[in-house]
Amino acid sequence: MFRTVPPSRTFLRLPLLQLLLLLVQAVGRGLGRASPAGGPLEDVVIERYHIPRTCPREVQMGDFVRYHYNGTFEDGKKFDSSYDRSTLVAIVVGVGRLITGMDRGLMGMCVNERRRLIVPPHLGYGSIGVGTVIPPQASLVFHVLLIDVHNPKDTVQLETLELPPGCVRRAVAGDFMRYHYNGSLMDGTLFDSSYSRNHTYNTYVGRGYIIPGMDQGLQGACMGERRRITIPPHLAYGENGTGDKIPGSAVLIFDVHVIDFHNPEDPVEIKILSRPPETCNETAKSGDYVRYHYNCSLLDGTKLFSSHDYGDPQEATLGANKVIEGLDTGLQGMCVGERRQLVVPPHLAHGESGARGVPGSAVLLFEVELVSREEGLPTGYLFVWHEDPPVNLFEGLDLNKDGEVPPEEFSAFIKAQVSEGKGRLMPGQDPEKTIADMFQNQDRNQDGKITVEELKLKSDEDQERVHEEL
């Protein structure tokens, strides 16, 4: 109820308020009623008939509160109710904006607490009353439910619910974060949840893309951390609220689970898990054909893919855009038999869009083991000689000496060079297909045979092309 008594009464009683507040607990035990013989003036009687299990914050002078109430006379007759208007009372307490009895009766309340307040006439509307609604000298009974409380000076409150071990990095302004959350009002009413959409909320932190309180509350978090962020309205949606679920001047509570975060500048993080016992003189490099086992998961432990599910190692040529950039980078420099852990940010993985089975903007965790490596071939080559090629290459290819080389003779010759260790084919591909491609490259007129005029080494072709360009 709002004050309607003359201002002079308010100013006369305010200096006594701090002293009178000390009597509230005693009054709640049944003390403070005026005696028939004209003893001291009675104070507000407070009955706390529902006290919540947890009370992180009690109402203090100067706080802004939102509450519901039913107002009756002592005989039970109702004179007012916020429920009938479907509108909470939202007001600052302890500064004379309410009748003195309500101001005192709200002090020390917890959110979700229910109180019965008996307000004597001199702390209510006294000898004046309120028109025909409240007669003079009426004692008033209020049943009050506190919905939330904050102070205009409040900051964001953080509570760590679960902190994973080994937190080596905390989120800072400019990081891109993926997190799940439940958002509720102080009375526990859920107004939003990312879980209901089965999708994380993805955003930059500290850049103003989310409400200021959340922007502040997410900084300093670890990957995998669960924290509770309590945000006063001036750092949330203010006096107006938003939509039909967040009312004006509402304190918001977010229970957040940080899935992962990264910075657009992040490189691949490489951690060596084990090295082979023998000395390693050669490591994997761009162009090499490698075979490796891997497990891939999200940072929250969600398994995505594993080569072990298929039995055989994964195969790839490094530097040929056959795998995501971060994995390609992480495999280079490995020894055969080495095991590594790779943390790959999304801009070096599947980006904002993700891929089949991979969420957008997801940081990926790989455990990789290099099984084998073969030295690759230069770009554009399908076969290279280990030494200088034969002086008369066409005579070597023309096995029956009839002046032309069909596919069968070409294939037999190349396979013989490989088996004798004189040359090697591009690793990681079907040898038959590679040889067929080589034949097609040499069969200039596509008549199914190679003549001496058609046969050229790639080095000679490259040299001719340079002269043509010059």
Side-chain angles (χ1 to χ4, degrees):
M1 295 294 294
F2 295 93
R3 170 176 292 279
T4 59
V5 296
S8 59
R9 294 185 60 189
T10 303
F11 297 142
L12 288 172
R13 295 189 183 279
L14 279 177
L16 300 174
L17 186 55
Q18 291 287 358
L19 178 60
L20 291 173
L21 287 176
L22 299 176
L23 299 174
V24 170
Q25 294 300 324
V27 170
R29 291 192 292 270
L31 303 178
R33 302 287 293 208
S35 66
L41 291 174
E42 58 187 338
D43 204 341
V44 178
V45 175
I46 300 175
E47 297 176 3
R48 305 178 69 188
Y49 61 89
H50 175 74
I51 302 174
R53 291 184 178 180
T54 60
C55 183
R57 167 80 176 271
E58 295 181 349
V59 175
Q60 300 176 11
M61 185 181 300
D63 283 346
F64 190 96
V65 298
R66 296 190 311 124
Y67 64 91
H68 266 309
Y69 73 92
N70 282 319
T72 68
F73 299 114
E74 288 190 301
D75 62 3
K77 181 180 178 181
K78 184 169 68 173
F79 62 81
D80 193 18
S81 174
S82 63
Y83 295 97
D84 293 345
R85 296 186 296 275
S86 298
T87 303
L88 293 167
V89 177
I91 199 166
V92 178
V93 297
V95 294
R97 297 183 183 178
L98 295 163
I99 59 173
T100 306
M102 184 63 83
D103 253 349
R104 296 182 187 180
L106 291 171
M107 293 297 168
M109 276 193 88
C110 303
V111 171
N112 284 329
E113 181 178 343
R114 294 177 182 269
R115 287 185 177 183
R116 181 173 181 261
L117 310 177
I118 303 175
V119 179
H122 69 280
L123 298 179
Y125 295 97
S127 60
I128 299 175
V130 180
T132 60
V133 179
I134 299 177
Q137 301 299 342
S139 292
L140 308 177
V141 179
F142 293 96
H143 287 267
V144 180
L145 169 62
L146 186 66
I147 302 300
D148 67 17
V149 54
H150 74 276
N151 193 284
K153 297 180 180 179
D154 282 349
T155 58
V156 173
Q157 300 298 311
L158 302 178
E159 179 184 354
T160 299
L161 305 178
E162 181 182 332
L163 185 65
C167 176
V168 296
R169 173 176 170 182
R170 294 180 179 270
V172 297
D175 284 344
F176 190 90
M177 180 179 288
R178 299 191 314 126
Y179 61 93
H180 270 302
Y181 70 90
N182 285 321
S184 62
L185 306 179
M186 288 195 79
D187 65 352
T189 301
L190 186 71
F191 62 79
D192 192 20
S193 174
S194 63
Y195 296 99
S196 66
R197 296 184 291 275
N198 196 31
H199 194 285
T200 56
Y201 193 86
N202 306 334
T203 188
Y204 283 97
V205 175
R207 296 267 186 93
Y209 292 110
I210 47 182
I211 58 175
M214 187 65 88
D215 237 353
Q216 296 175 25
L218 290 172
Q219 295 186 50
C222 297
M223 293 185 189
E225 180 178 343
R226 296 178 186 270
R227 60 168 50 180
R228 178 167 294 157
I229 305 173
T230 302
I231 304 175
H234 58 275
L235 296 175
Y237 295 100
E239 296 180 2
N240 296 325
T242 185
D244 58 356
K245 293 187 176 180
I246 299 179
S249 300
V251 177
L252 307 183
I253 299 176
F254 290 91
D255 283 338
V256 174
H257 180 202
V258 178
I259 302 300
D260 60 32
F261 55 83
H262 72 280
N263 193 282
E265 308 264 330
D266 283 349
V268 178
E269 294 181 21
I270 299 175
K271 178 182 179 181
I272 297 175
L273 302 178
S274 66
R275 294 184 181 274
E278 62 276 4
T279 302
C280 173
N281 295 320
E282 294 184 344
T283 60
K285 63 183 181 303
S286 183
D288 283 357
Y289 172 73
V290 297
R291 299 171 70 245
Y292 59 94
H293 270 303
Y294 73 92
N295 292 316
C296 177
S297 64
L298 302 179
L299 292 190
D300 65 354
T302 302
K303 179 181 174 182
L304 298 180
F305 313 106
S306 175
S307 62
H308 298 282
D309 293 340
Y310 306 100
D312 296 323
Q314 184 76 13
E315 302 174 348
T317 299
L318 297 181
N321 297 320
K322 299 299 183 182
V323 295
I324 59 173
E325 184 178 351
L327 179 57
D328 197 303
T329 299
L331 288 168
Q332 296 191 40
M334 288 188 75
C335 297
V336 173
E338 181 179 338
R339 293 177 57 248
R340 285 183 175 182
Q341 176 182 284
L342 312 175
V343 178
V344 182
H347 56 276
L348 299 177
H350 296 287
E352 295 181 6
S353 301
R356 185 175 181 180
V358 180
S361 301
V363 180
L364 301 182
L365 177 66
F366 286 90
E367 288 189 4
V368 295
E369 178 183 1
L370 187 61
V371 176
S372 66
R373 61 168 289 275
E374 297 178 45
E375 189 173 352
L377 302 186
T379 302
Y381 284 78
L382 299 174
F383 174 89
V384 295
W385 299 95
H386 288 160
E387 300 175 352
D388 291 335
V391 175
N392 195 328
L393 178 57
F394 186 81
E395 288 185 5
L397 287 166
D398 186 11
L399 300 181
N400 62 4
K401 309 304 179 186
D402 64 351
E404 54 188 33
V405 179
E408 296 78 12
E409 287 184 342
F410 185 87
S411 177
F413 177 81
I414 295 298
K415 289 179 180 178
Q417 307 311 301
V418 172
S419 65
E420 295 171 11
K422 296 178 180 179
R424 57 192 172 89
L425 292 164
M426 175 181 287
Q429 293 192 18
D430 179 10
E432 297 293 343
K433 183 180 184 306
T434 301
I435 294 173
D437 290 342
M438 293 172 63
F439 182 86
Q440 287 291 108
N441 291 340
Q442 295 297 326
D443 184 11
R444 314 290 174 173
N445 60 10
Q446 302 298 300
D447 64 352
K449 57 183 181 293
I450 300 172
T451 62
V452 65
E453 292 80 12
E454 292 176 306
L455 184 66
K456 292 181 181 179
L457 296 176
K458 188 175 188 307
S459 57
D460 295 332
E461 293 177 342
D462 292 342
Q463 188 62 36
E464 288 178 1
R465 187 173 296 111
V466 168
H467 287 304
E468 290 172 359
E469 292 174 352
L470 291 176

